[in-house]
Amino acid sequence: MEISMLGTGNALVTECYNTCFVIDDGGKYFMVDGGGGNTVLRQLKRAGFDWMDMREIFVTHKHIDHLMGIVWMVRMICQFMNHGEYKGEANIYAHDEVIALLRDMAEKLLLPKETRLIDDRLHFVTVSDGEERIINDRKVTFFDIQSTKAKQFGFCMELDGGEKLTCCGDEPYNPCEEKYARDSKWLLHEAFCLYSQADIFDPYEKHHSTVKDACELAEKLGVENLLLYHTEDRNLSRRKELYSAEGKQYYSGKLWIPDDLERISLTSK
């Protein structure tokens, strides 16, 4: 079981792609967000995936840097279904506001012969706070992170041996997420920048956190592996080095600072 980071950057990056990823569970895929455009198709290809194999997709919220790549996935799926080149079905999970937006955009941007496939073979699945679904034979619980900006959901995936992976979306941890995040084997959390550069990037003004903040949180919650994403891109060439150095001052677990297209085993010790 592996996670492949299609992108690791925040909304305004140009040196890497916006944060989105694929969990590869022995050839069964769970794709989370799509970044800001059709570059997601290139990233999937460069990561060694066939976009047609992305049959289970989750969209955390409606911000452009997470949603627009999904619009391209919808277009590709519907178009190739219509041409008889896409076999089977696909599911896109999201909360009600995102599902309504995707439906509206599809109706306005796609041809009727393509949109007829929505709800027939391409299913827009509305999920609610605390709802459990079985996806790729694993229990996934979706939860509202109670964002003060756009409504946003995270998820908690059951791993082997009763362990869990928790994704907090792209905003700082909220205490309402504790039952999912505490004692996670993997915690996926945003880190907009280094704490030492907070005066440069103003993360708190944007309702984001720093490496220090995320690491202190993971230490408090007893997290075994902390994966940081949704970062600035001005430190990209030294991001691993700099973020690791700051983070290790506050977190004693395993800290991961992935690059775009990096693949990480979720069974890593």
Side-chain angles (χ1 to χ4, degrees):
M1 193 173 187
E2 298 177 318
I3 184 168
S4 290
M5 300 303 301
L6 303 179
T8 56
N10 65 34
L12 299 181
V13 295
T14 57
E15 303 304 312
C16 58
Y17 193 52
N18 314 118
T19 295
C20 50
F21 56 90
V22 174
I23 295 176
D24 178 352
D25 192 359
K28 295 177 289 188
Y29 306 110
F30 183 55
M31 178 175 170
V32 179
D33 289 336
N38 69 352
T39 297
V40 71
L41 301 173
R42 185 191 70 178
Q43 294 299 89
L44 283 165
K45 182 178 180 179
R46 292 177 68 194
F49 298 120
D50 184 336
W51 68 266
M52 288 195 193
D53 291 333
M54 302 298 118
R55 304 293 177 121
E56 305 286 346
I57 301 171
F58 172 54
V59 191
T60 58
H61 61 302
K62 68 181 182 180
H63 285 169
I64 290 172
D65 57 313
H66 297 263
L67 182 72
M68 295 309 295
I70 301 301
V71 174
W72 277 93
M73 291 295 292
V74 170
R75 177 185 177 180
M76 295 291 284
I77 292 169
C78 288
Q79 185 170 311
F80 276 68
M81 280 181 173
N82 185 58
H83 291 166
E85 299 175 61
Y86 187 107
K87 307 302 181 184
E89 303 183 357
N91 297 306
I92 297 179
Y93 306 88
H95 63 68
D96 54 353
E97 292 181 10
V98 169
I99 293 296
L101 184 56
L102 285 173
R103 285 188 183 279
D104 185 59
M105 295 177 76
E107 289 172 4
K108 288 182 168 65
L109 299 175
L110 302 183
L111 299 173
K113 63 183 179 182
E114 296 166 345
T115 56
R116 68 181 174 83
L117 296 161
I118 295 173
D119 296 326
D120 177 24
R121 292 173 58 199
L122 173 58
H123 306 285
F124 288 169
V125 183
T126 301
V127 294
S128 58
D129 182 28
E131 181 172 346
E132 296 179 359
R133 292 265 176 173
I134 301 299
I135 300 175
N136 295 333
D137 301 319
R138 293 189 184 275
K139 185 174 75 173
V140 176
T141 306
F142 299 99
F143 56 86
D144 190 336
I145 72 167
Q146 297 185 17
S147 170
T148 57
K149 299 190 293 186
K151 182 177 179 180
Q152 181 172 172
F153 274 24
F155 71 90
C156 183
M157 176 179 285
E158 187 176 90
L159 305 178
D160 295 340
E163 296 178 315
K164 58 186 178 179
L165 175 150
T166 303
C167 169
C168 294
D170 77 346
E171 292 192 17
Y173 165 84
N174 187 311
C176 70
E177 303 166 65
E178 181 174 358
K179 66 179 179 179
Y180 305 109
R182 179 168 291 281
D183 299 323
S184 289
K185 182 173 183 181
W186 288 87
L187 181 67
L188 281 50
H189 196 282
E190 57 88 31
F192 198 81
C193 65
L194 295 164
Y195 180 75
S196 62
Q197 294 184 334
D199 59 334
I200 298 173
F201 294 104
D202 298 319
Y204 305 126
E205 178 183 297
K206 302 175 181 70
H207 197 56
H208 287 302
S209 58
T210 68
V211 173
K212 174 179 179 287
D213 300 325
C215 287
E216 287 181 330
L217 168 70
E219 185 73 18
K220 177 182 177 181
L221 293 176
V223 169
E224 186 175 333
N225 293 272
L226 174 63
L227 189 153
L228 300 181
Y229 54 33
H230 206 263
T231 80
E232 48 79 26
D233 62 349
R234 278 188 257 173
N235 288 304
L236 199 60
S237 64
R238 297 185 62 208
R239 182 173 61 182
K240 281 182 183 290
E241 172 192 350
L242 295 173
Y243 283 34
S244 294
E246 180 170 286
K248 288 176 180 178
Q249 298 177 57
Y250 308 100
Y251 175 57
S252 60
K254 179 68 174 178
L255 182 60
W256 302 83
I257 317 293
D259 292 321
D260 284 17
L261 304 179
E262 187 167 338
R263 187 177 288 240
I264 297 170
S265 171
L266 295 177
T267 58
S268 298
K269 297 296 184 182

